[in-house]
Amino acid sequence: MASQRTATSLAAAAAVDAPPTRVRYGVLSFMCTLGVVLYLDRICWGVAKIPIHRDLHISDWQLSWIDAAFMIPYGLFEMPIGLWGDRHGARGVLTRIVLCWSLFTMLTGTISFFWGFVLVRFLFGAGEAGALPNAARVITRWFSAGSRGPAQGLMMAATQLGGALAPALTGFLIARWIGWRWTFGLYGVIGVVWALSFY
């Protein structure tokens, strides 16, 4: 049994050290698009809460609690869900993470009262936690030690691209096209498509 595990580990190490293939670049493309979608869904709230504040008469004080409702579970669940991916494999866990946060992104567009936003943003934060640790695990599994740094750097650059695109794109969608409710719905659908394609 131990020799079989050793053989499997050696084969996996040899596969990682092999020259990059199209599949490996495809995996990196998925991790980069994950970074864009992750920050698109996360940062869009900062733009959308302005019309939400106006349309639903939610106060600045209440908005601060809605913001906290995302950050607290995101911080609490980041490590446990990262460990969950270590134990059960990043592919399935990452798929569940993106499906979960996408569902709560879509649900955000259906809410009309303060406590509903608090609940959905809490669940969104819990659902989004663990995405980056599990993405790092995917990169570790598919890239050799010498190429992990550039691969991880590209993925993190993609997150910043998503963060830079989110305010302008969200502002355009809300002000000029579909409003804040349908914008959350659209972003959620993008996440579902990503998750099903990745899996």
Side-chain angles (χ1 to χ4, degrees):
M1 189 68 153
S3 61
Q4 186 178 12
R5 269 194 222 135
T6 304
T8 303
S9 297
L10 289 172
V16 166
D17 290 332
T21 63
R22 287 184 182 178
V23 174
R24 198 171 297 182
Y25 290 127
V27 169
L28 181 58
S29 297
F30 267 109
M31 294 304 99
C32 289
T33 52
L34 170 71
V36 172
V37 175
L38 174 74
Y39 272 70
L40 195 65
D41 286 356
R42 181 184 300 185
I43 292 181
C44 71
W45 171 258
V47 177
K49 68 183 179 181
I50 298 168
I52 289 170
H53 169 76
R54 182 186 63 238
D55 294 350
L56 303 179
H57 308 292
I58 291 176
S59 69
D60 291 337
W61 178 83
Q62 290 173 319
L63 286 172
S64 69
W65 277 100
I66 296 168
D67 289 338
F70 163 76
M71 294 304 297
I72 291 169
Y74 183 79
L76 288 175
F77 289 106
E78 187 82 353
M79 189 180 293
I81 298 178
L83 292 171
W84 184 31
D86 288 344
R87 178 168 293 187
H88 297 288
R91 179 175 156 223
V93 172
L94 202 50
T95 301
R96 288 181 181 92
I97 288 169
V98 180
L99 285 174
C100 188
W101 101 49
S102 299
L103 169 66
F104 293 117
T105 298
M106 288 187 277
L107 282 176
T108 303
T110 69
I111 303 299
S112 296
F113 59 100
F114 168 63
W115 287 110
F117 281 114
V118 169
L119 176 62
V120 169
R121 294 300 290 177
F122 180 92
L123 294 171
F124 175 78
E128 198 176 73
L132 292 177
N134 280 285
R137 179 174 172 76
V138 170
I139 288 173
T140 299
R141 188 162 180 90
W142 280 89
F143 289 85
S144 65
S147 57
R148 282 175 201 154
Q152 186 76 26
L154 277 172
M155 188 192 77
M156 295 311 294
T159 65
Q160 300 309 302
L161 176 63
L165 286 174
L169 181 59
T170 303
F172 170 77
L173 290 173
I174 291 173
R176 299 293 181 87
W177 195 25
I178 54 177
W180 64 268
R181 293 188 183 278
W182 285 104
T183 298
F184 281 112
L186 175 62
Y187 287 172
V189 168
I190 291 170
V192 169
V193 171
W194 184 96
L196 296 177
S197 302
F198 174 70
Y199 189 77

